[in-house]
């Protein structure tokens, strides 16, 4: 009973903040809005409560992360259909710069911006849905706060390959060459250089797998047919098939240029995962179960996962000796639970603030579909 | 006794936890400040460049933008010019637009646009090798991007 009450008390500030962010400061009007809002608040906070109460992180984070990604896709596609009548963008949206800006584009706009003070993306700077300025502020915030936990907690795409990675109980492909961990860096370099040279966001234009579930160029030319084949193939291979076969987040771990860039922010974030070398029994469970392939034998010896760690908490949950733990830089041993709660607080608040609205909107669109036969 | 390093670590974590809601709450204002302070703009590769001239015609208006020679540093030799036709009532079945890029009152090329078939052709009036890059279908009209190569620069601007 005491544990239950303590856990409930711990989540009170997070509950208040999530209420504020999910409602966007206004009480929802109408029956379906109220239902979707209440469901979002209850679901987010019950998952967070379970993380605190059970001292297990990944199971509840994963449920929240996957569900949020699903509702985000529904919300985004619904939004595009509402605005344009289709998932493909129109010439009007292109020329009037109304394309929503996604965090992955950040990797491609920084160098051209440094040189030309212009953003090489047809989005709105401050107005409308997913404006450039607002997304850059959120990205900067993530760099200085949660680091690459963005990919484990806040990325609205990451939940898709995580969802598929949970389908099988055991991986079919058990060995992945360690050299694959350099692939995202190569993709990052390729898209940064090509985007700066061509002044076009080349990843978005040619190889982003998530165009399959967001928006894409209308198929009107040979180039657009080739682009469509590429992004659909990459989505099927990297987001569906390989995660199912490997039980890893293959798109995030081996292809995403944003993930590669965001890894560097793990240096800046105060939160980290630490592995106690003295407690580690060398069973290798964390190595085989890490969804981002961020732990190797060398990492175990070094006492920390690789810089690519998503802070999902899988290794912390699975370690039979309690050697892996959430940690705050500078804090001495003996404060494991406080470090964990503070880390989870930062990640959860970020997630609720960033994705709570999409969750509610996606759920609302689904409920609307059942009530009226239309998503919109 | 808590060590200073531990205390600093917790303070840092708390600051971060407080910063997250604070920044999200003021995100729109911060975004406006960021855009304003940095002088951020959308690249003319996407906007089509600044408007150079608006011509009011019977039933429609023509918007001719300034030529764009965008590249990472300086200007590129290959540029484009964007021309838009916006219907007030109805666009004519064929539009002929003479384009004077360097402002010397001598058109370098002419764009002929068939609004029914949405096809554009270019007549190069002064030996310019202009070509159609893309035709955009807009809610109230059409836009055409014509590409061309800047050959030499003179003191007055550029010469084709």
């Amino acid at each position: 009973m005491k544990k239950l009450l303590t856990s409930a008390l711990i989540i009170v500030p997070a509950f208040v903040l999530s209420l504020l962010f999910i409602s966007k400061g206004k009480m929802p009007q109408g029956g379906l809005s109220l239902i979707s809002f209440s469901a979002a608040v209850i679901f987010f906070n019950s998952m967070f409560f379970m993380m605190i109460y059970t001292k297990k992180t990944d199971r509840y984070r994963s449920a929240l992360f996957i569900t949020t990604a699903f509702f985000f896709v529904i919300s985004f596609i619904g939004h595009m259909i509402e605005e344009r009548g289709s998932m493909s963008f129109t010439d009007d949206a292109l020329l009037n710069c109304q394309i929503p800006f996604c965090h992955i584009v950040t990797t491609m706009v920084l160098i051209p911006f440094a040189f030309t003070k212009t953003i090489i993306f047809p989005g709105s700077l401050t107005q409308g849905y997913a404006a450039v300025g607002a997304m850059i502020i959120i990205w900067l915030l993530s760099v200085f706060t949660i680091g690459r936990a963005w990919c484990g907690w806040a990325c609205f795409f990451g939940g898709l390959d995580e969802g598929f990675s949970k389908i099988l109980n055991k991986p079919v492909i058990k060995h992945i060459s360690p050299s694959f961990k350099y692939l995202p860096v190569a993709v990052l370099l390729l898209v940064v250089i090509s985007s700066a040279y061509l002044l076009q966001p080349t990843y978005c234009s040619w190889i982003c797998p998530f165009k399959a579930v967001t928006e894409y160029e209308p198929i009107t030319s040979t180039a657009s047919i080739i682009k469509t084949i590429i992004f659909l193939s990459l989505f099927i291979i990297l987001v569906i098939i390989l995660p199912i076969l490997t039980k890893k987040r293959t798109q995030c771990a081996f292809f995403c240029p944003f993930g590669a860039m965001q890894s560097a922010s793990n240096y800046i974030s105060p939160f980290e995962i630490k592995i106690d070398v003295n407690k580690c029994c060398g069973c290798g469970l964390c190595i085989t179960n890490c969804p981002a392939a961020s732990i190797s034998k060398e990492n175990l010896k070094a006492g920390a996962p690789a810089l690519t760690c998503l802070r999902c908490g899988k290794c912390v949950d699975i370690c039979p000796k309690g050697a892996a733990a959430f940690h705050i830089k500078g804090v001495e041993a003996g404060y494991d639970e406080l470090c964990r709660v503070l880390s989870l607080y930062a990640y959860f608040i970020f997630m609720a603030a960033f994705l709570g609205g999409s969750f509610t909107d996606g759920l609302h669109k689904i409920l609307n579909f059942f009530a009226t036969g239309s998503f919109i | 006794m808590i060590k200073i390093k531990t205390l600093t670590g917790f303070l840092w974590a708390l600051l971060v936890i407080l910063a997250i809601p604070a920044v999200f709450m003021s995100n729109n204002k911060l975004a406006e400040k960021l855009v304003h302070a940095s002088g951020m703009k959308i690249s003319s590769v996407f906007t089509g460049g600044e408007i150079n001239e608006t011509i009011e015609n019977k039933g429609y208006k023509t918007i001719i933008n300034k030529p764009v020679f965008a590249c990472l540093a300086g200007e590129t030799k290959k540029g484009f010019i964007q021309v838009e036709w916006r219907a007030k009532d109805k666009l004519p079945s064929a539009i002929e637009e003479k384009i004077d890029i360097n402002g010397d009152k001598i058109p370098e090329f002419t764009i002929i646009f068939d609004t029914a078939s949405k096809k554009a052709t270019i007549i190069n009036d002064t030996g310019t090798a202009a070509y159609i890059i893309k035709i955009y279908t807009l809610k109230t009209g059409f836009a055409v991007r014509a590409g061309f190569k800047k050959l030499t620069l003179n003191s007055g601007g550029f010469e084709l």
Side-chain angles (χ1 to χ4, degrees):
Chain A
M1 190 65 185
K2 193 186 166 194
K3 194 181 162 194
L4 196 77
L5 275 173
T6 313
S7 304
L9 276 174
I10 287 173
I11 74 152
V12 168
F15 175 78
V16 174
L17 283 170
S18 65
L19 201 70
L20 195 70
F21 286 120
I22 295 171
S23 67
K24 292 172 187 164
K26 285 181 280 185
M27 267 311 281
Q29 301 294 314
L32 290 183
S33 299
L34 198 63
I35 292 170
S36 44
F37 161 74
S38 309
V41 172
I42 291 167
F43 186 57
F44 267 74
N45 286 287
S46 56
M47 289 298 105
F48 189 52
F49 173 80
M50 291 306 285
M51 285 180 215
I52 302 296
Y53 181 68
T54 63
K55 297 187 195 279
K56 295 283 179 194
T57 308
D58 185 57
R59 184 184 306 169
Y60 305 106
R61 178 208 61 83
S62 189
L64 198 50
F65 194 54
I66 295 165
T67 319
T68 305
F70 172 73
F71 285 134
F72 167 80
V73 169
I74 301 289
S75 167
F76 190 94
I77 294 173
H79 191 84
M80 290 302 106
I81 291 171
E82 261 175 83
E83 292 238 314
R84 307 168 188 160
S86 152
M87 270 175 77
S88 64
F89 41 73
T90 60
D91 286 347
D92 256 308
L94 262 183
L95 279 192
N96 293 323
C97 297
Q98 293 168 337
I99 307 295
F101 186 87
C102 126
H103 54 279
I104 301 176
V105 196
T106 317
T107 56
M108 287 159 272
V109 300
L110 295 178
I111 289 179
F113 176 71
F115 278 87
T116 65
K117 293 246 179 160
T118 63
I119 296 290
I120 54 159
F121 188 82
S124 164
L125 285 176
T126 54
Q127 304 297 315
Y129 186 66
V132 178
M135 286 300 287
I136 289 180
I137 290 286
I138 292 171
W139 167 68
L140 283 171
L141 175 71
S142 78
V143 167
F144 290 100
T145 56
I146 61 169
R148 207 183 164 183
W150 171 289
C151 306
W153 293 76
C155 177
F156 37 73
F157 294 133
L160 297 175
D161 55 346
E162 176 150 342
F164 287 107
S165 76
K166 301 279 179 187
I167 288 178
L168 294 183
N169 283 330
K170 286 183 178 176
V172 176
I173 299 171
K174 286 174 184 161
H175 179 74
I176 299 168
S177 168
S179 55
F180 276 115
K181 68 183 176 191
Y182 300 110
L183 195 56
V185 182
V187 176
L188 174 67
L189 282 175
L190 181 75
V191 298
V192 166
I193 294 167
S194 59
S195 300
Y197 179 71
L198 299 168
L199 293 188
Q200 294 279 342
T202 48
Y203 183 83
C204 315
S205 300
W206 287 94
I207 52 174
C208 177
F210 296 112
K211 287 175 117 53
V213 287
T214 51
E215 58 176 350
Y216 48 81
E217 190 178 325
I219 303 167
T220 53
S221 62
T222 312
S224 58
I225 292 171
I226 295 169
K227 285 177 186 178
T228 308
I229 292 169
I230 293 173
F231 78 68
L232 278 177
S233 308
L234 286 173
F235 184 80
I236 291 166
I237 295 166
L238 288 168
V239 184
I240 300 176
I241 296 174
L242 284 176
I244 292 174
L245 297 178
T246 61
K247 284 190 73 64
K248 304 271 180 218
R249 286 175 55 181
T250 48
Q251 151 67 21
C252 310
F254 307 121
F255 196 70
C256 182
F258 180 83
M261 183 176 80
Q262 194 71 359
S263 293
S265 66
N266 275 348
Y267 279 124
I268 306 168
S269 168
F271 307 108
E272 61 182 358
I273 299 285
K274 227 177 176 183
I275 299 161
D276 189 332
V277 183
N278 297 320
K279 284 186 187 171
C280 177
C281 62
C283 65
L285 271 176
C286 54
I287 299 173
T288 48
N289 283 282
C290 175
S294 296
I295 308 177
S296 63
K297 282 181 182 170
E298 288 71 35
N299 292 122
L300 292 183
K301 283 177 198 159
L307 207 57
T308 53
C309 171
L310 315 176
R311 315 295 198 237
C312 65
K314 182 81 181 178
C315 55
V316 180
D317 289 356
I318 209 160
C319 181
K321 299 288 177 188
F326 287 96
H327 186 250
I328 294 169
K329 287 170 189 167
V331 173
E332 63 193 305
Y335 295 96
D336 281 4
E337 193 48 29
L338 186 54
C339 286
R340 178 178 175 272
V341 169
L342 289 174
S343 303
L344 296 188
Y345 240 93
Y347 303 155
F348 176 76
I349 293 170
F350 200 106
M351 187 190 211
F354 189 49
L355 299 175
S358 299
F359 186 104
T360 315
D361 188 53
L363 181 58
H364 181 266
K365 282 186 165 63
I366 291 173
L367 293 176
N368 204 46
F369 177 75
F370 285 112
T372 66
S374 166
F375 276 111
I376 302 162
Chain B
M1 182 81 179
I2 297 179
K3 284 182 185 171
I4 290 177
K5 213 176 162 190
T6 299
L7 199 65
T8 313
F10 281 130
L11 277 174
W12 183 16
L14 278 173
L15 273 176
V16 157
I17 291 169
L18 292 173
I20 294 169
V23 171
F24 269 103
M25 279 176 203
S26 47
N27 189 14
N28 289 339
K29 279 183 187 169
L30 288 171
E32 274 175 24
K33 280 185 180 168
L34 172 80
V35 169
H36 182 73
S38 64
M40 189 186 283
K41 282 180 183 171
I42 298 295
S43 167
S44 49
V45 170
F46 299 98
T47 60
E50 291 172 38
I51 294 174
N52 187 35
E53 192 182 4
T54 305
I55 306 161
E56 296 292 339
N57 306 298
K58 196 181 174 189
Y60 72 101
K61 70 175 174 183
T62 305
I63 301 163
I64 302 172
N65 289 1
K66 288 179 181 170
V68 174
F69 297 99
C71 74
L72 197 61
E75 285 191 340
T76 175
K77 279 186 176 178
K78 273 188 177 177
F80 72 82
I81 193 161
Q82 183 172 301
V83 182
E84 281 178 51
W85 299 286
R86 299 268 185 184
K88 282 186 273 186
D89 306 319
K90 197 184 169 194
L91 286 173
S93 57
I95 301 171
E96 193 175 305
E97 209 68 59
K98 290 194 178 294
I99 307 295
D100 169 21
I101 292 172
N102 52 5
D104 62 358
K105 310 286 181 198
I106 303 165
E108 277 74 33
F109 56 87
T110 306
I111 301 173
I112 299 165
F113 187 69
D114 184 329
T115 52
S117 64
K118 299 178 191 174
K119 280 187 179 165
T121 45
I122 279 188
I123 298 168
N124 289 301
D125 299 319
T126 56
T128 315
Y131 55 96
I132 298 293
I133 296 176
K134 193 171 177 182
I135 297 163
Y136 298 89
T137 306
L138 309 174
K139 274 179 194 161
T140 57
F142 297 94
V144 167
R145 278 191 186 180
F148 52 86
K149 197 174 175 184
K150 184 169 64 176
L151 296 176
T152 52
L153 275 174
N154 61 25
S155 57
F158 36 85
E159 194 177 281
L160 294 156

